[in-house]
Amino acid sequence: MSAQLKNKNSKLTTPAVPGRWRKEVERILITDAQLARRVKILAREIETDFRGREMVVVSLLSGTVMFLADLIRHLNLPLRLDFIGVSSYGAGTESGELVFTKELRLDVRGRDVLLVDDILDTGKTLSRVLPKIRALQPRRLKTCVLLDKPARRVEKIRADYVGFAIPDLFVIGYGLDFAERYRNLPFVGVLHPQVYREPGKS
Ligand code: IMP
Ligand code: MG
């Protein structure tokens, strides 16, 4: 289950964008404190569901870096960690053609696998990655995403664990990028539309 963002009154409670980022970040959508609280709860749910067996956490590069680090430090379970590299051509806000830049190295056959991604948007990424992992015959395969943008879905896909369902906005920070930038922001913010309208200036 995901946490719905209650944004109606958020202008009153959401902190201002730090001065350094004000030109590029329109507003903060999810604060670092909200992220921390939610990730702990997600970890508790996953821990309960995966208890009793060693799990393999498979994470998609690179957008999951911060989420993954925070999530697994709260998982009090034996686990092994591996990565799959996927990259979509095109530096804009639309996902382009998908290429695999790193393959899975751990053997997941007969294992309990948790696939972690940053955001479920059109669903094209997960609909390519999931069959690839399924073909390796894990005992169980569950998906966990920090963010879910259901409004943009084109593939029939849902995640088992969702941090936050968000509206149709292009977001950056806490691992998420625009043209490989802004992954280091400690919060999830809405990208200022002028950043992608004037790519030469970014
Ligand atoms: P999908 O294949 O359309 O579901 O998109 C998944 C991928 O697109 C994510 O793993 C992100 O890398 C990227 N993406 C989708 N929406 C956003 C966004 O709002 N901000 C940053 N990256 C995004
Ligand atoms: Mg990306």
Side-chain angles (χ1 to χ4, degrees), residues 24-53:
E24 293 139 286
V25 180
E26 200 174 55
R27 65 189 162 93
I28 294 178
L29 187 66
I30 311 172
T31 65
D32 54 353
Q34 288 172 318
L35 287 162
R37 214 176 307 134
R38 182 66 188 142
V39 171
K40 253 191 211 172
I41 294 169
L42 269 186
R44 227 172 285 144
E45 279 176 38
I46 293 166
E47 214 177 87
T48 309
D49 296 351
F50 281 78
R51 182 149 288 145
R53 289 176 65 91

mmCIF file of all heavy atoms in Angstrom, residues 24-53:
data_model
loop_
_atom_site.group_PDB
_atom_site.id
_atom_site.type_symbol
_atom_site.label_atom_id
_atom_site.label_comp_id
_atom_site.label_asym_id
_atom_site.label_seq_id
_atom_site.Cartn_x
_atom_site.Cartn_y
_atom_site.Cartn_z
ATOM 1 N N GLU A 24 15.844 25.717 -10.211
ATOM 2 C CA GLU A 24 15.635 24.420 -10.869
ATOM 3 C C GLU A 24 14.525 23.580 -10.229
ATOM 4 O O GLU A 24 13.923 22.750 -10.887
ATOM 5 C CB GLU A 24 16.955 23.633 -10.850
ATOM 6 C CG GLU A 24 18.019 24.291 -11.716
ATOM 7 C CD GLU A 24 19.373 24.260 -11.075
ATOM 8 O OE1 GLU A 24 19.585 25.042 -10.111
ATOM 9 O OE2 GLU A 24 20.213 23.454 -11.513
ATOM 10 N N VAL A 25 14.293 23.819 -8.955
ATOM 11 C CA VAL A 25 13.265 23.045 -8.251
ATOM 12 C C VAL A 25 12.088 23.962 -7.934
ATOM 13 O O VAL A 25 12.233 24.954 -7.222
ATOM 14 C CB VAL A 25 13.832 22.440 -6.939
ATOM 15 C CG1 VAL A 25 12.758 21.637 -6.214
ATOM 16 C CG2 VAL A 25 15.045 21.581 -7.222
ATOM 17 N N GLU A 26 10.948 23.617 -8.505
ATOM 18 C CA GLU A 26 9.762 24.458 -8.315
ATOM 19 C C GLU A 26 9.268 24.420 -6.875
ATOM 20 O O GLU A 26 8.965 25.428 -6.277
ATOM 21 C CB GLU A 26 8.685 23.954 -9.262
ATOM 22 C CG GLU A 26 7.597 24.943 -9.549
ATOM 23 C CD GLU A 26 6.650 24.387 -10.613
ATOM 24 O OE1 GLU A 26 6.113 23.280 -10.413
ATOM 25 O OE2 GLU A 26 6.482 25.053 -11.636
ATOM 26 N N ARG A 27 9.180 23.190 -6.353
ATOM 27 C CA ARG A 27 8.774 23.031 -4.944
ATOM 28 C C ARG A 27 9.183 21.656 -4.443
ATOM 29 O O ARG A 27 9.439 20.743 -5.244
ATOM 30 C CB ARG A 27 7.268 23.237 -4.778
ATOM 31 C CG ARG A 27 6.408 22.195 -5.467
ATOM 32 C CD ARG A 27 4.941 22.599 -5.436
ATOM 33 N NE ARG A 27 4.171 21.881 -6.415
ATOM 34 C CZ ARG A 27 3.511 20.740 -6.168
ATOM 35 N NH1 ARG A 27 3.519 20.216 -4.975
ATOM 36 N NH2 ARG A 27 2.823 20.151 -7.132
ATOM 37 N N ILE A 28 9.211 21.549 -3.132
ATOM 38 C CA ILE A 28 9.511 20.244 -2.535
ATOM 39 C C ILE A 28 8.204 19.457 -2.464
ATOM 40 O O ILE A 28 7.204 19.952 -1.957
ATOM 41 C CB ILE A 28 10.125 20.412 -1.122
ATOM 42 C CG1 ILE A 28 11.500 21.095 -1.233
ATOM 43 C CG2 ILE A 28 10.238 19.065 -0.420
ATOM 44 C CD1 ILE A 28 12.183 21.353 0.098
ATOM 45 N N LEU A 29 8.236 18.228 -2.992
ATOM 46 C CA LEU A 29 7.040 17.389 -2.971
ATOM 47 C C LEU A 29 7.047 16.469 -1.753
ATOM 48 O O LEU A 29 6.029 16.287 -1.088
ATOM 49 C CB LEU A 29 6.959 16.559 -4.262
ATOM 50 C CG LEU A 29 5.692 15.749 -4.484
ATOM 51 C CD1 LEU A 29 4.480 16.670 -4.675
ATOM 52 C CD2 LEU A 29 5.826 14.825 -5.683
ATOM 53 N N ILE A 30 8.222 15.889 -1.467
ATOM 54 C CA ILE A 30 8.351 14.998 -0.313
ATOM 55 C C ILE A 30 9.633 15.390 0.437
ATOM 56 O O ILE A 30 10.724 15.388 -0.145
ATOM 57 C CB ILE A 30 8.430 13.515 -0.742
ATOM 58 C CG1 ILE A 30 7.316 13.170 -1.747
ATOM 59 C CG2 ILE A 30 8.334 12.606 0.477
ATOM 60 C CD1 ILE A 30 7.450 11.784 -2.368
ATOM 61 N N THR A 31 9.490 15.704 1.688
ATOM 62 C CA THR A 31 10.649 16.160 2.470
ATOM 63 C C THR A 31 11.512 14.967 2.887
ATOM 64 O O THR A 31 11.060 13.808 2.852
ATOM 65 C CB THR A 31 10.200 16.882 3.751
ATOM 66 O OG1 THR A 31 9.520 15.938 4.593
ATOM 67 C CG2 THR A 31 9.273 18.049 3.441
ATOM 68 N N ASP A 32 12.728 15.271 3.330
ATOM 69 C CA ASP A 32 13.605 14.189 3.784
ATOM 70 C C ASP A 32 13.015 13.465 4.989
ATOM 71 O O ASP A 32 13.144 12.247 5.113
ATOM 72 C CB ASP A 32 15.047 14.682 4.031
ATOM 73 C CG ASP A 32 15.119 15.860 4.981
ATOM 74 O OD1 ASP A 32 14.057 16.407 5.360
ATOM 75 O OD2 ASP A 32 16.242 16.240 5.360
ATOM 76 N N ALA A 33 12.317 14.203 5.853
ATOM 77 C CA ALA A 33 11.708 13.571 7.033
ATOM 78 C C ALA A 33 10.573 12.626 6.612
ATOM 79 O O ALA A 33 10.442 11.515 7.150
ATOM 80 C CB ALA A 33 11.182 14.641 7.988
ATOM 81 N N GLN A 34 9.761 13.058 5.637
ATOM 82 C CA GLN A 34 8.673 12.188 5.141
ATOM 83 C C GLN A 34 9.245 10.936 4.480
ATOM 84 O O GLN A 34 8.719 9.835 4.648
ATOM 85 C CB GLN A 34 7.797 12.945 4.129
ATOM 86 C CG GLN A 34 6.917 14.005 4.754
ATOM 87 C CD GLN A 34 6.215 14.859 3.703
ATOM 88 O OE1 GLN A 34 6.804 15.261 2.697
ATOM 89 N NE2 GLN A 34 4.948 15.164 3.935
ATOM 90 N N LEU A 35 10.326 11.106 3.728
ATOM 91 C CA LEU A 35 10.973 9.965 3.077
ATOM 92 C C LEU A 35 11.464 8.975 4.131
ATOM 93 O O LEU A 35 11.208 7.775 4.039
ATOM 94 C CB LEU A 35 12.152 10.435 2.218
ATOM 95 C CG LEU A 35 11.785 11.153 0.918
ATOM 96 C CD1 LEU A 35 12.963 11.945 0.373
ATOM 97 C CD2 LEU A 35 11.285 10.157 -0.125
ATOM 98 N N ALA A 36 12.144 9.494 5.131
ATOM 99 C CA ALA A 36 12.720 8.630 6.164
ATOM 100 C C ALA A 36 11.641 7.830 6.877
ATOM 101 O O ALA A 36 11.775 6.624 7.110
ATOM 102 C CB ALA A 36 13.513 9.471 7.160
ATOM 103 N N ARG A 37 10.552 8.504 7.205
ATOM 104 C CA ARG A 37 9.453 7.856 7.931
ATOM 105 C C ARG A 37 8.830 6.747 7.079
ATOM 106 O O ARG A 37 8.615 5.638 7.528
ATOM 107 C CB ARG A 37 8.386 8.916 8.274
ATOM 108 C CG ARG A 37 7.694 8.674 9.600
ATOM 109 C CD ARG A 37 6.716 9.801 9.928
ATOM 110 N NE ARG A 37 7.342 11.119 9.868
ATOM 111 C CZ ARG A 37 6.797 12.190 9.252
ATOM 112 N NH1 ARG A 37 5.641 12.102 8.642
ATOM 113 N NH2 ARG A 37 7.422 13.345 9.264
ATOM 114 N N ARG A 38 8.568 7.058 5.830
ATOM 115 C CA ARG A 38 7.892 6.105 4.939
ATOM 116 C C ARG A 38 8.771 4.894 4.621
ATOM 117 O O ARG A 38 8.293 3.760 4.569
ATOM 118 C CB ARG A 38 7.462 6.844 3.660
ATOM 119 C CG ARG A 38 6.718 5.987 2.677
ATOM 120 C CD ARG A 38 5.357 5.535 3.198
ATOM 121 N NE ARG A 38 4.755 4.564 2.302
ATOM 122 C CZ ARG A 38 4.053 3.509 2.694
ATOM 123 N NH1 ARG A 38 3.820 3.304 3.980
ATOM 124 N NH2 ARG A 38 3.567 2.672 1.806
ATOM 125 N N VAL A 39 10.065 5.153 4.400
ATOM 126 C CA VAL A 39 10.979 4.059 4.044
ATOM 127 C C VAL A 39 11.079 3.058 5.206
ATOM 128 O O VAL A 39 11.119 1.850 4.990
ATOM 129 C CB VAL A 39 12.372 4.612 3.635
ATOM 130 C CG1 VAL A 39 13.381 3.489 3.481
ATOM 131 C CG2 VAL A 39 12.261 5.398 2.328
ATOM 132 N N LYS A 40 11.075 3.566 6.431
ATOM 133 C CA LYS A 40 11.111 2.678 7.609
ATOM 134 C C LYS A 40 9.887 1.773 7.639
ATOM 135 O O LYS A 40 9.985 0.579 7.929
ATOM 136 C CB LYS A 40 11.122 3.531 8.888
ATOM 137 C CG LYS A 40 12.450 3.541 9.587
ATOM 138 C CD LYS A 40 12.281 4.174 10.956
ATOM 139 C CE LYS A 40 13.568 4.874 11.331
ATOM 140 N NZ LYS A 40 13.444 5.666 12.543
ATOM 141 N N ILE A 41 8.727 2.340 7.338
ATOM 142 C CA ILE A 41 7.480 1.560 7.353
ATOM 143 C C ILE A 41 7.504 0.498 6.258
ATOM 144 O O ILE A 41 7.151 -0.658 6.484
ATOM 145 C CB ILE A 41 6.248 2.496 7.202
ATOM 146 C CG1 ILE A 41 6.126 3.397 8.427
ATOM 147 C CG2 ILE A 41 4.964 1.698 6.987
ATOM 148 C CD1 ILE A 41 5.125 4.530 8.282
ATOM 149 N N LEU A 42 7.973 0.902 5.060
ATOM 150 C CA LEU A 42 8.088 -0.058 3.942
ATOM 151 C C LEU A 42 8.996 -1.217 4.330
ATOM 152 O O LEU A 42 8.693 -2.378 4.066
ATOM 153 C CB LEU A 42 8.705 0.630 2.720
ATOM 154 C CG LEU A 42 7.802 1.293 1.705
ATOM 155 C CD1 LEU A 42 8.642 1.764 0.527
ATOM 156 C CD2 LEU A 42 6.719 0.344 1.218
ATOM 157 N N ALA A 43 10.125 -0.890 4.950
ATOM 158 C CA ALA A 43 11.089 -1.916 5.347
ATOM 159 C C ALA A 43 10.446 -2.890 6.327
ATOM 160 O O ALA A 43 10.672 -4.103 6.250
ATOM 161 C CB ALA A 43 12.329 -1.267 5.961
ATOM 162 N N ARG A 44 9.630 -2.380 7.216
ATOM 163 C CA ARG A 44 8.966 -3.243 8.200
ATOM 164 C C ARG A 44 8.016 -4.211 7.498
ATOM 165 O O ARG A 44 7.954 -5.391 7.825
ATOM 166 C CB ARG A 44 8.212 -2.384 9.218
ATOM 167 C CG ARG A 44 8.475 -2.818 10.651
ATOM 168 C CD ARG A 44 7.881 -1.855 11.637
ATOM 169 N NE ARG A 44 8.639 -0.619 11.743
ATOM 170 C CZ ARG A 44 8.101 0.597 11.932
ATOM 171 N NH1 ARG A 44 6.799 0.739 12.017
ATOM 172 N NH2 ARG A 44 8.865 1.650 12.040
ATOM 173 N N GLU A 45 7.264 -3.699 6.504
ATOM 174 C CA GLU A 45 6.350 -4.560 5.736
ATOM 175 C C GLU A 45 7.114 -5.659 5.002
ATOM 176 O O GLU A 45 6.730 -6.831 5.016
ATOM 177 C CB GLU A 45 5.601 -3.740 4.678
ATOM 178 C CG GLU A 45 4.403 -2.978 5.175
ATOM 179 C CD GLU A 45 3.783 -2.118 4.060
ATOM 180 O OE1 GLU A 45 3.738 -2.568 2.912
ATOM 181 O OE2 GLU A 45 3.372 -0.982 4.363
ATOM 182 N N ILE A 46 8.202 -5.265 4.355
ATOM 183 C CA ILE A 46 8.992 -6.213 3.567
ATOM 184 C C ILE A 46 9.604 -7.269 4.485
ATOM 185 O O ILE A 46 9.592 -8.466 4.184
ATOM 186 C CB ILE A 46 10.085 -5.459 2.761
ATOM 187 C CG1 ILE A 46 9.426 -4.573 1.694
ATOM 188 C CG2 ILE A 46 11.090 -6.422 2.142
ATOM 189 C CD1 ILE A 46 10.339 -3.549 1.057
ATOM 190 N N GLU A 47 10.100 -6.800 5.621
ATOM 191 C CA GLU A 47 10.708 -7.701 6.605
ATOM 192 C C GLU A 47 9.727 -8.788 7.037
ATOM 193 O O GLU A 47 10.073 -9.966 7.105
ATOM 194 C CB GLU A 47 11.084 -6.856 7.814
ATOM 195 C CG GLU A 47 12.328 -7.290 8.520
ATOM 196 C CD GLU A 47 12.600 -6.312 9.642
ATOM 197 O OE1 GLU A 47 12.066 -6.515 10.753
ATOM 198 O OE2 GLU A 47 13.337 -5.345 9.398
ATOM 199 N N THR A 48 8.495 -8.380 7.293
ATOM 200 C CA THR A 48 7.467 -9.335 7.713
ATOM 201 C C THR A 48 7.206 -10.360 6.611
ATOM 202 O O THR A 48 7.130 -11.558 6.875
ATOM 203 C CB THR A 48 6.148 -8.578 8.020
ATOM 204 O OG1 THR A 48 6.455 -7.517 8.909
ATOM 205 C CG2 THR A 48 5.120 -9.479 8.652
ATOM 206 N N ASP A 49 7.086 -9.872 5.370
ATOM 207 C CA ASP A 49 6.752 -10.759 4.254
ATOM 208 C C ASP A 49 7.891 -11.702 3.861
ATOM 209 O O ASP A 49 7.644 -12.777 3.318
ATOM 210 C CB ASP A 49 6.349 -9.941 3.014
ATOM 211 C CG ASP A 49 5.076 -9.141 3.245
ATOM 212 O OD1 ASP A 49 4.431 -9.351 4.288
ATOM 213 O OD2 ASP A 49 4.729 -8.304 2.387
ATOM 214 N N PHE A 50 9.121 -11.282 4.067
ATOM 215 C CA PHE A 50 10.271 -12.070 3.612
ATOM 216 C C PHE A 50 10.966 -12.843 4.737
ATOM 217 O O PHE A 50 11.992 -13.473 4.506
ATOM 218 C CB PHE A 50 11.302 -11.168 2.911
ATOM 219 C CG PHE A 50 10.936 -10.821 1.489
ATOM 220 C CD1 PHE A 50 9.992 -9.848 1.226
ATOM 221 C CD2 PHE A 50 11.523 -11.473 0.413
ATOM 222 C CE1 PHE A 50 9.639 -9.517 -0.075
ATOM 223 C CE2 PHE A 50 11.188 -11.160 -0.888
ATOM 224 C CZ PHE A 50 10.244 -10.174 -1.132
ATOM 225 N N ARG A 51 10.409 -12.765 5.947
ATOM 226 C CA ARG A 51 11.054 -13.396 7.100
ATOM 227 C C ARG A 51 11.277 -14.890 6.880
ATOM 228 O O ARG A 51 10.478 -15.569 6.239
ATOM 229 C CB ARG A 51 10.189 -13.162 8.344
ATOM 230 C CG ARG A 51 10.781 -13.728 9.614
ATOM 231 C CD ARG A 51 10.393 -12.912 10.821
ATOM 232 N NE ARG A 51 11.081 -11.626 10.846
ATOM 233 C CZ ARG A 51 10.553 -10.494 11.292
ATOM 234 N NH1 ARG A 51 9.332 -10.474 11.710
ATOM 235 N NH2 ARG A 51 11.258 -9.391 11.292
ATOM 236 N N GLY A 52 12.399 -15.395 7.397
ATOM 237 C CA GLY A 52 12.614 -16.843 7.415
ATOM 238 C C GLY A 52 13.467 -17.382 6.281
ATOM 239 O O GLY A 52 13.861 -18.534 6.302
ATOM 240 N N ARG A 53 13.737 -16.562 5.267
ATOM 241 C CA ARG A 53 14.568 -17.020 4.149
ATOM 242 C C ARG A 53 15.521 -15.909 3.744
ATOM 243 O O ARG A 53 15.207 -14.737 3.897
ATOM 244 C CB ARG A 53 13.689 -17.368 2.940
ATOM 245 C CG ARG A 53 12.870 -18.625 3.127
ATOM 246 C CD ARG A 53 11.975 -18.827 1.932
ATOM 247 N NE ARG A 53 12.738 -19.085 0.710
ATOM 248 C CZ ARG A 53 13.068 -20.310 0.295
ATOM 249 N NH1 ARG A 53 12.700 -21.355 0.989
ATOM 250 N NH2 ARG A 53 13.739 -20.479 -0.810
#
